[in-house]
Amino acid sequence: MRILAIENELCPLMLGEEVLLAEQRKAMYGLYLHGYIREINQKENSNEVILIMECVSKREAENYLAKLPLVRGGKSTFDLCVIEPYSGFKELV
């Protein structure tokens, strides 16, 4: 199942919290290596990310994202949406 995950920054990092960003990158890289994150993009003029995830369920994606350092630290959240192939072309056949 493909899932679109859009990050929402809740509050900026404070002085000394830069380590969270490094931990976040490592955690996301691990999810990428294991195939749970298929694509990582960034919002224009922002540090917030947009992920395309491949998971068994939306709940599984929520569980992986909840373990990310910035989410655990209350610095960001993710809006999730299950995405499916466009079905509108079926009408043309």
Side-chain angles (χ1 to χ4, degrees):
M1 169 179 295
R2 287 201 179 246
I3 297 162
L4 177 69
I6 302 172
E7 184 182 23
N8 299 297
E9 184 180 286
L10 298 176
C11 58
L13 293 175
M14 304 298 285
L15 190 62
E17 291 182 322
E18 299 84 11
V19 69
L20 283 177
L21 201 50
E23 291 173 1
Q24 178 89 353
R25 290 178 181 138
K26 287 179 187 175
M28 288 192 341
Y29 185 56
L31 292 174
Y32 176 79
L33 289 176
H34 286 93
Y36 298 112
I37 294 177
R38 296 289 186 157
E39 271 184 54
I40 303 174
N41 298 286
Q42 203 165 323
K43 292 180 183 179
E44 183 178 28
N45 301 319
S46 172
N47 290 325
E48 296 168 315
V49 296
I50 299 171
L51 309 174
I52 302 291
M53 300 183 72
E54 188 73 40
C55 295
V56 172
S57 65
K58 187 175 177 182
R59 167 94 47 189
E60 181 182 41
E62 290 170 339
N63 289 338
Y64 284 126
L65 295 172
K67 295 175 185 173
L68 292 175
L70 291 179
V71 175
R72 280 194 336 252
K75 299 296 182 178
S76 68
T77 61
F78 283 87
D79 293 326
L80 276 69
C81 177
V82 174
I83 54 177
E84 300 173 341
Y86 178 65
S87 64
F89 292 141
K90 292 179 191 175
E91 306 291 324
L92 299 175
V93 180

